[in-house]
Amino acid sequence: MIVQAAQQTSAVLICADADLGGVRITARIHDKLPPDTTIHVVDVGTVPHDEGRPFNTHSRSHLQQLAQRTDQVGAFAQRCLHRGYAIEQEATARAALQAVLNNHPPA
């Protein structure tokens, strides 16, 4: 349903938790969008936040695989790995989205 809605516009913001699940969701959405879509992946770790639980071996391994991608999904996975912990906070997501919207007003 998300992809169907996103296919009706030329630009999409993807904002998910900054953890393995969030990177996987971001990849699924990203990979289903038309190639001419302008995509911006929002990293909730770019705004003040509380440190989450450290990644376990399973998460780290899968994030390392996703970090090999040469697109925004890969860059997002790399930033998650660099931090080393999950961010799953609604207030943080709202703040990250607001920061992006303030810098990139809708067309």
Side-chain angles (χ1 to χ4, degrees):
M1 191 181 311
I2 293 170
V3 171
Q4 289 172 339
Q7 288 176 338
Q8 312 223 356
T9 185
S10 62
V12 174
L13 291 175
I14 303 172
C15 183
D17 291 339
D19 61 7
L20 176 57
V23 174
R24 284 180 170 165
I25 289 167
T26 299
R28 282 188 211 122
I29 294 168
H30 179 280
D31 295 348
K32 297 286 185 184
L33 294 172
D36 60 339
T37 305
T38 301
I39 302 169
H40 182 82
V41 175
V42 178
D43 179 0
V44 299
T46 61
V47 296
H49 60 273
D50 294 330
E51 189 171 313
R53 60 178 168 34
F55 293 128
N56 60 30
T57 304
H58 175 269
S59 292
R60 185 170 295 283
S61 172
H62 286 279
L63 282 168
Q64 287 169 339
Q65 290 172 356
L66 289 162
Q68 293 176 22
R69 292 176 57 140
T70 59
D71 57 13
Q72 289 188 60
V73 175
F76 181 36
Q78 289 171 18
R79 290 189 302 271
C80 289
L81 281 167
H82 179 73
R83 274 190 297 273
Y85 56 85
I87 304 172
E88 303 170 315
Q89 303 155 5
E90 288 182 37
T92 302
R94 275 193 307 277
L97 279 170
Q98 191 63 54
V100 168
L101 294 173
N102 286 343
N103 290 326
H104 302 284

